[in-house]
Amino acid sequence: MLDQIKIVMVNTTHSGNIGAAARAMKNMGLSRLCLVDPIAAVDEEAVQRSSRAEDILHNVEVVPSLEDAVADCGLVIGTSARSRHIPWPLMTPRQAAAKAREMIPAGNRVALVFGRESRGLTNEELHLCNAHVHIPTEESFSSLNVAQAIQVLCYEMRLALVTEAEEEGAGQWGVAWDYPLATHKELDGLFQHMEKTLIDIGFLDPNTPKQLITRLRRLYQRAAPDKTEVNILRGMLSAAQRKAAQAAAQSDNQPHPQQGEEH
Ligand code: SAH
């Protein structure tokens, strides 16, 4: 189950932090490390700080953008040392681990995203996430070293997915969810379709700022829809687009269309 969790580090500057992250992951039984456009190399210092977790460093995935890193994930959790402008669903590491435990048995992949040492994640990057995690700290001193933040999250994942699961035994009440969650890429397709449809039906003015789409993104990512739910939503959007196209064609054929005639 822990192999369905990916640790994503964005624009990491210090190779020692990459090594220390690998060590923290291996201690807790995680193995998938992904680096988004790293500034630092996986060099000798990284190997030393990994303290024999080189296998994780050898298998590291390097991608150019956060979108690429999380494309195959159903649950994307961003981490932040401080609060940001638009409120987003906020969890403790323990709540995030409980959410992962709920989602992972149905085959979903989970990404835990960590920011730059200097300035964390950008708002745009945080908006790609279903939820945010803040590790509770002293308010006046809230920023952990990135590898230590990774340690805390990996520990909570292990506690929820291995230790507690063993304690509770294999027998689980209820049934597993019937469909896997939509991946980040599938949700992105939904948001693009939604934006286009809202323009087609005259609800969204493409010249206004994109706050509406950010808020809709937050709504659907908070709900974390599964694959069939996304297909239903896209079917509804396609139907609305067809009606809008029909209405436009009809009004083209009528020399003096009446406003609001169809209502
Ligand atoms: N000065 C930066 C902090 C960067 S710390 C800022 O103000 O945003 C580097 C990374 O470590 C963060 O992006 C986050 O991924 C993680 N991190 C550090 N402290 C954290 C905390 N209290 N809760 C959650 N993540 C934290």
Side-chain angles (χ1 to χ4, degrees):
M1 296 218 277
L2 291 173
D3 56 2
Q4 284 163 248
I5 303 175
K6 183 191 280 198
I7 298 296
V8 179
M9 297 176 81
V10 178
N11 280 173
T12 309
T13 322
H14 298 294
S15 56
N17 281 335
I18 298 174
R23 179 181 188 174
M25 289 170 63
K26 190 164 172 137
N27 282 142
M28 297 299 133
L30 281 81
S31 54
R32 300 185 63 210
L33 177 60
C34 177
L35 304 178
V36 175
D37 189 21
I39 316 286
V42 181
D43 58 12
E44 191 49 38
E45 192 187 351
V47 170
Q48 273 180 19
R49 290 284 303 279
S50 80
S51 179
R52 300 202 312 279
E54 287 126 294
D55 50 334
I56 293 183
L57 296 178
H58 287 148
N59 294 323
V60 83
E61 183 190 0
V62 180
V63 294
S65 73
L66 182 55
E67 275 95 340
D68 291 318
V70 301
D72 61 346
C73 295
L75 182 65
V76 181
I77 295 180
T79 55
S80 183
R82 58 197 160 94
S83 74
R84 306 298 178 109
H85 197 54
I86 296 191
W88 217 255
L90 188 64
M91 298 178 175
T92 62
R94 199 147 292 178
Q95 288 165 334
K99 189 82 187 157
R101 188 176 167 190
E102 197 184 310
M103 298 304 177
I104 279 177
N108 296 298
R109 292 188 170 180
V110 175
L112 304 177
V113 185
F114 297 84
R116 300 155 187 83
E117 290 94 331
S118 55
R119 55 189 180 94
L121 294 167
T122 64
N123 285 334
E124 290 71 30
E125 287 161 348
L126 284 165
H127 290 167
L128 296 179
C129 303
N130 300 89
H132 299 160
V133 163
H134 173 70
I135 300 167
T137 57
E138 274 297 312
E139 212 171 314
S140 60
F141 201 66
S142 65
S143 177
L144 277 75
N145 164 271
V146 64
Q148 293 181 348
I150 290 172
Q151 181 74 79
V152 172
L153 266 291
C154 291
Y155 167 73
E156 289 293 343
M157 294 292 152
R158 184 175 187 87
L159 200 63
L161 287 152
V162 180
T163 312
E164 286 175 7
E166 276 169 8
E167 279 167 9
E168 287 165 24
Q172 222 195 38
W173 187 86
V175 289
W177 199 255
D178 45 359
Y179 290 101
L181 295 181
T183 60
H184 176 82
K185 198 171 181 182
E186 288 161 348
L187 275 183
D188 227 43
L190 169 67
F191 298 137
Q192 281 171 30
H193 193 172
M194 194 175 288
E195 184 166 0
K196 172 136 201 347
T197 309
L198 295 182
I199 292 169
D200 290 350
I201 64 173
F203 185 73
L204 173 64
D205 176 355
N207 301 317
T208 59
K210 294 235 171 98
Q211 205 72 302
L212 174 72
I213 292 298
T214 302
R215 288 185 186 280
L216 287 172
R217 194 180 253 283
R218 179 176 67 170
L219 168 66
Y220 285 102
Q221 287 179 162
R222 186 165 83 233
D226 67 32
K227 285 181 195 295
T228 37
E229 290 163 342
V230 165
N231 285 339
I232 292 168
L233 289 168
R234 291 200 63 164
M236 285 164 56
L237 294 174
S238 296
Q241 283 181 309
R242 276 195 300 275
K243 278 281 176 202
Q246 277 169 13
Q250 268 172 16
S251 74
D252 278 353
N253 292 337
Q254 289 171 1
H256 302 296
Q258 296 284 310
Q259 280 276 323
E261 206 173 38
E262 286 203 355
H263 292 176

